[in-house]
Amino acid sequence: MENLPDRPHPHAHLRASDIDRDQVVDVLREALMSGRLTQDEHADRLEQTLQAKTLGELEPITRDLVVPGQPAPIAAAVPSTSTSLVPIEEPADPSASVDNLVAIFGGGERKGRWRVKRRTNALAVFGGHDLDMTDAVFEGREVTINAVAVFGGIDITVPEGVTVRNEGIGIFGGFAAQGSADPDPNAPTVVIKGLALFGGVGGQSSAKRHGKKNKKLH
C-alpha cells in the first residue's frame, strides 16, 4: 500500500490515544494555515486522524508535513509503564454515542466485550441493571452514566485504573460509587450522575467485585 512507511513505526501496533490524535490534528491545522494543505486535503486527513486506531495508522497522515529539524508528531508516542490497558475507541460520530437502558419490573445486564457509549441513560424502576465494564471498550476518555433507580438498583463495575466521579444523589436510598484504588491518568473516567429514590446506585472496581485472582484470568 502506498500509505505504508518504508520502515514500519516501531510501535505501529499500539493503540493511539486522544493525545496522539490531538498532536496530528495540530500539525494538520498548521499545514492548512501555512498553505501546505488544501481545504479538501485537510478535511480528508482529519477524517483519517479521527478514525485511526493505532500509531501505525496515524504516522502516514503527517509524514510529508514534518518540517526538517523538527520532531515528527508521533515520535514521542512511546509506550510507558503508565499506558492504560483499558481500550478506548473514538466513535465516528461522537454525538450518536448514546445508549438507553430501561428495566421496569425486570432486569438488564451488560458484560463481556461491549461498548460503553459516551453517554448511557440507565433507568431501573422496581428492577435493576448490572453494568460490568471489566472487558468493555470505551468510546471516550470520559463517559457519563445517568443512573436513575426508583425502588430498584443499578450496579456499575469499572476496570482497574479507571477513575470514577460520583455526582448523583440518594433520597431514601443510596448513591455511592468508587473507582480503582490505583487510578491510571491515561485510563478513562466514568462520571456517574442521577438519582436513587428508595433504591440504590453503586459502583466498584473490577478487582473488588471479581477479586484479583479472577481479574488475571480475563
Side-chain angles (χ1 to χ4, degrees):
M1 295 176 61
E2 94 183 71
N3 285 335
L4 291 177
D6 295 332
R7 297 183 61 186
H9 192 283
H11 306 295
H13 64 288
L14 295 180
R15 285 191 171 274
S17 68
D18 283 347
I19 295 176
D20 299 324
R21 278 182 282 269
D22 287 345
Q23 289 178 336
V24 174
V25 170
D26 289 341
V27 173
L28 295 179
R29 184 186 303 113
E30 298 258 346
L32 175 64
M33 295 178 63
S34 64
R36 285 185 287 161
L37 285 180
T38 66
Q39 289 282 357
D40 289 342
E41 290 172 332
H42 176 265
D44 180 60
R45 297 195 190 196
L46 182 60
E47 182 178 0
Q48 293 179 47
T49 302
L50 297 178
Q51 293 180 352
K53 299 296 189 299
T54 66
L55 296 180
E57 293 174 344
L58 282 178
E59 193 273 340
I61 297 174
T62 57
R63 186 193 307 139
D64 61 343
L65 299 177
V66 178
V67 178
Q70 294 185 359
I74 305 302
V78 178
S80 66
T81 55
S82 64
T83 299
S84 173
L85 297 178
V86 181
I88 301 175
E89 294 184 3
E90 298 289 341
D93 183 5
S95 64
S97 184
V98 181
D99 208 354
N100 296 306
L101 309 175
V102 178
I104 300 177
F105 290 100
E109 182 182 53
R110 291 287 179 90
K111 65 179 181 179
R113 196 71 168 179
W114 62 288
R115 300 183 72 87
V116 181
K117 304 296 185 179
R118 290 193 170 198
R119 184 172 75 256
T120 299
N121 303 312
L123 171 65
V125 180
F126 291 100
H129 285 293
D130 183 6
L131 308 180
D132 188 350
M133 305 176 185
T134 302
D135 300 310
V137 176
F138 287 72
E139 291 197 351
R141 294 190 63 82
E142 180 174 297
V143 301
T144 300
I145 310 293
N146 294 313
V148 177
V150 181
F151 291 99
I154 299 176
D155 188 29
I156 301 168
T157 303
V158 301
E160 288 306 297
V162 169
T163 298
V164 171
R165 291 211 312 265
N166 184 3
E167 299 180 1
I169 60 174
I171 301 177
F172 295 105
F175 203 115
Q178 294 183 342
S180 175
D182 186 19
D184 181 347
N186 296 313
T189 295
V190 176
V191 182
I192 304 177
K193 301 180 178 181
L195 169 69
L197 178 62
F198 291 101
V201 174
Q204 59 190 333
S205 69
S206 175
K208 185 175 181 180
R209 174 175 176 172
H210 301 295
K212 293 183 178 180
K213 180 178 179 180
N214 289 339
K215 175 178 176 289
K216 292 179 181 179
L217 298 179
H218 286 293

